[in-house]
Amino acid sequence: APTTRAGKAADYLDQRTSVGSAVKEFARKVFPDHWSFLLGEIALYSFIILIITGVFLTMFFVPSMALVEYHGPPATMDGQLMSDAFASTLHTSFEVRGGLLMRQIHHWAALIFMAAIVTHMMRVFFTGAFRKPRELNWLVGTLLMILGLLAGFSGYSLPDDVLSGNGLRITDGVVKSIPLIGSYLSYFIFGGEFPGDDIIPRLFTVHIFLIPGLILALVALHLFFVVLHKHTQYPGGGRTDKNVVGYPLFPVYTAKAGGFFFIVFGILALMGATMAINNVWSYGPFDPSPVSAGAQPDWYMLFLEGSLRLMPGGAEFVMWGDWTVSLNVLIPAVVVPGILFTFLFVYPFLEAAVTKDKREHHVLDRPRNVPVRTGLGVAFLTAFIILALAGSNDLIATHFHMSINTITWVFRVLIFVGPWFGFWITKRICLGLQRKDRELVLHGHETGRIVRFANGEYIEVHRPLDEQERWLRVNYSAHTPLEVEPATDSRGVRRKGYAQDKRMQRLSRFFYEDRIEPVTPAELAAAHSHGEHDAI
Ligand code: HEM
Ligand code: HEM
């Protein structure tokens, strides 16, 4: 029988729930260790901090658009007409003890949350962690990313200052650009013509209940999948698709993760305490007329802003007398993000179809070994960054004293050539790195030591790789492009599905083009005798 107090408590619980064996099983689960696996944790911890600080903010925030005459600090706002929402944000910031700190931690946590999600997603993408059996978790993740965007957007729209009001104004325009249903949808969302006085209370419910609830449920599913599938691991000595090398969840991982939570919390608290963010009183309450240069959304929404700013204004026409088609808004604000998000949703399935790879993968890819995937990832990021920069074209113009029209035209060209260029350069770098790996496996490291033989011949001494290094450089994606059967079968009848196979084959060729062959045993043997020559 247990003698310690903790033991007795555990025993009490176990006798009533038989949770013991599950806990033991769970505590022994092994997690591999790598710094890049912390990115998902940062997303998780900043979400927890968003909930904690968010609950605090709900105690003081008044989700109402009723007009009030504000009296209180700061002096510039005293006596102004504004909504309850804006007034309560000022009150929270200036008169509630710790209020400004909480608002600032909340806002910084939102920025870090999205940054962690995006970098976590990049880690998963570039290492191929989305491959079987984790495709579904990739989908859950992509949903989480989109919910994160909506959480941030609904949050920074709440204070009803000039910046957030203008963000909503743009949203109204985007919704109205949707053909046929646009204006009805806008009336539905705003409860009448923009801005009405329903949108803030509605966004409030969405922001503090609907979206966090969905995120919470999906994060639970996401982590359940991580446990179910087990975590992937980087290639290295002794690691295979059949084992997991790492530390047990308890006590090593729980201690590490618990400590890491406090590090994230500490850094966010420090940021909230020392770095001003979203000083809404310097913009003032919402009023559609004053929009100045330097009005930017939070970074994760900048790509949408940039997309809108790049689109030439002319693409708008009236059909059938009174029906306006606003392609100038529809394309950048609905079609472009639609394409970007669709790419993210379908990529794991597309790659699986192109490689016909049905194996499970628990050892991660080195990005260089899958040049086309890595190239596509860089192309995607290039597009994202160009759009985000285009969303800051006014700031670039004022900071660097350049013409905003020139900047906009440069980005209009870049958005087409940039991703292509990014893809091409990345693919070449990957292939170069693979060649370098091949060279290392065959001939070892250069040492810079030159030896002269008695017969006058000079050679450089090479140091062979150790087991770890060699393991890392084994090419894991030793696949060949799809070969399709001929167009007609043995009796000359045209085969069904041939055209589709042919199309897939073309994609597959593209994926494996310029493939660098893995080192063969014969090559290794030849290099070995060469090495012996060196040794002599
Ligand atoms: C793994 C959290 C969003 C895909 C993980 C892990 C955590 C986590 C803690 C395990 C540690 C790690 O590998 O980093 C979260 C949270 C998210 C989020 C809190 C957002 C609220 C995403 C997104 C994607 C994604 C946007 C991709 C679209 C995955 C996959 C794994 C994973 C595939 C398994 C990785 C592996 O075993 O190597 N996530 N994640 N997650 N996440 Fe996320
Ligand atoms: C405001 C993001 C979750 C309650 C905000 C703001 C952002 C944001 C960027 C604007 C802050 C400002 O500068 O004024 C997020 C994100 C969340 C999240 C990304 C989760 C993924 C929550 C939760 C709650 C909450 C769970 C409450 C339970 C609030 C309130 C405000 C707010 C009351 C208005 C406060 C104010 O601006 O004065 N949120 N939030 N948030 N958030 Fe959140």
Side-chain angles (χ1 to χ4, degrees), residues 38 41 45 251-267:
L38 293 180
E41 286 187 46
Y45 302 149
V252 181
Y253 234 82
T254 34
K256 277 193 171 190
F260 193 50
F261 170 76
F262 287 106
I263 292 177
V264 173
F265 203 164
I267 289 176

Side-chain angles (χ1 to χ4, degrees), residues 188-265:
F188 176 72
I189 292 172
F190 290 92
E193 184 53 88
F194 175 89
D197 38 38
D198 286 339
I199 189 65
I200 298 283
R202 286 179 180 183
L203 278 178
F204 185 66
T205 308
V206 167
H207 183 74
I208 71 157
F209 174 70
L210 198 60
I211 294 177
L214 284 172
I215 293 182
L216 206 59
L218 284 175
V219 165
L221 182 63
H222 195 64
L223 298 182
F224 170 75
F225 271 140
V226 172
V227 171
L228 187 75
H229 296 141
K230 301 186 181 58
H231 203 281
T232 56
Q233 52 192 344
Y234 280 93
R239 298 171 192 179
T240 71
D241 274 330
K242 301 239 168 0
N243 69 5
V244 189
V245 180
Y247 295 107
L249 186 71
F250 188 85
V252 181
Y253 234 82
T254 34
K256 277 193 171 190
F260 193 50
F261 170 76
F262 287 106
I263 292 177
V264 173
F265 203 164

Side-chain angles (χ1 to χ4, degrees), residues 31 36-41 43-45 47 113 117-118 120-121 123-124 127 129-130 134 137-145 215 219 222-223 226 230-233 364:
F31 278 88
S36 69
F37 302 159
L38 293 180
L39 296 167
E41 286 187 46
L44 183 63
Y45 302 149
F47 177 56
F113 177 63
I117 289 182
V118 170
H120 170 57
M121 198 167 182
R123 193 285 284 173
V124 169
T127 60
F130 55 75
R134 297 181 182 76
N137 218 14
W138 169 270
L139 291 188
V140 174
T142 310
L143 280 177
L144 277 170
M145 186 270 294
I215 293 182
V219 165
H222 195 64
L223 298 182
V226 172
K230 301 186 181 58
H231 203 281
T232 56
Q233 52 192 344
L364 295 167

Side-chain angles (χ1 to χ4, degrees), residues 21-317:
S21 53
V23 168
K24 203 192 265 172
E25 164 77 25
F26 197 67
R28 283 185 185 158
K29 261 202 123 67
V30 164
F31 278 88
D33 222 14
H34 191 265
W35 66 265
S36 69
F37 302 159
L38 293 180
L39 296 167
E41 286 187 46
I42 298 177
L44 183 63
Y45 302 149
S46 34
F47 177 56
I48 295 173
I49 292 156
L50 279 163
I51 296 178
I52 297 173
T53 49
V55 168
F56 180 96
L57 292 174
T58 55
M59 320 244 167
F60 304 99
F61 182 72
V62 181
S64 150
M65 296 171 90
L67 269 190
V68 291
E69 195 182 306
Y70 179 75
H71 290 290
T76 45
M77 293 290 122
D78 194 57
Q80 287 214 33
L81 273 184
M82 58 181 68
S83 67
D84 262 335
F86 190 71
S88 68
T89 304
L90 293 180
H91 174 69
T92 310
S93 306
F94 288 99
E95 289 165 309
V96 173
R97 210 163 280 198
L100 181 61
L101 177 66
M102 286 297 174
R103 254 194 76 225
Q104 299 202 145
I105 297 180
H106 194 75
H107 207 130
W108 278 118
L111 301 192
I112 298 289
F113 177 63
M114 287 313 298
I117 289 182
V118 170
T119 43
H120 170 57
M121 198 167 182
M122 283 160 62
R123 193 285 284 173
V124 169
F125 183 87
F126 286 118
T127 60
F130 55 75
R131 287 171 302 167
K132 188 180 173 187
R134 297 181 182 76
E135 305 97 322
L136 295 183
N137 218 14
W138 169 270
L139 291 188
V140 174
T142 310
L143 280 177
L144 277 170
M145 186 270 294
I146 292 174
L147 283 169
L149 293 178
L150 294 176
F153 176 75
S154 59
Y156 70 62
S157 299
L158 287 178
D160 203 20
D161 57 308
V162 169
L163 198 57
S164 70
N166 277 301
L168 286 173
R169 182 43 144 176
I170 297 172
T171 312
D172 174 47
V174 170
V175 172
K176 280 183 176 149
S177 79
I178 299 172
L180 293 175
I181 55 167
S183 34
Y184 299 99
L185 201 58
S186 164
Y187 268 53
F188 176 72
I189 292 172
F190 290 92
E193 184 53 88
F194 175 89
D197 38 38
D198 286 339
I199 189 65
I200 298 283
R202 286 179 180 183
L203 278 178
F204 185 66
T205 308
V206 167
H207 183 74
I208 71 157
F209 174 70
L210 198 60
I211 294 177
L214 284 172
I215 293 182
L216 206 59
L218 284 175
V219 165
L221 182 63
H222 195 64
L223 298 182
F224 170 75
F225 271 140
V226 172
V227 171
L228 187 75
H229 296 141
K230 301 186 181 58
H231 203 281
T232 56
Q233 52 192 344
Y234 280 93
R239 298 171 192 179
T240 71
D241 274 330
K242 301 239 168 0
N243 69 5
V244 189
V245 180
Y247 295 107
L249 186 71
F250 188 85
V252 181
Y253 234 82
T254 34
K256 277 193 171 190
F260 193 50
F261 170 76
F262 287 106
I263 292 177
V264 173
F265 203 164
I267 289 176
L268 282 173
L270 200 66
M271 291 173 83
T274 57
M275 291 152 69
I277 186 161
N278 203 19
N279 293 338
V280 286
W281 49 92
S282 36
Y283 318 133
F286 178 54
D287 167 351
S289 56
V291 192
S292 58
Q296 258 75 29
D298 279 353
W299 75 267
Y300 44 85
M301 295 303 256
L302 257 184
F303 75 107
L304 290 172
E305 173 82 19
S307 183
L308 276 165
R309 289 188 190 187
L310 284 193
M311 186 73 192
E316 183 173 73
F317 49 88

Side-chain angles (χ1 to χ4, degrees), residues 329-346:
V329 180
L330 190 70
I331 290 175
V334 182
V335 178
V336 168
I339 292 173
L340 293 178
F341 290 150
T342 306
F343 173 81
L344 294 179
F345 275 117
V346 303

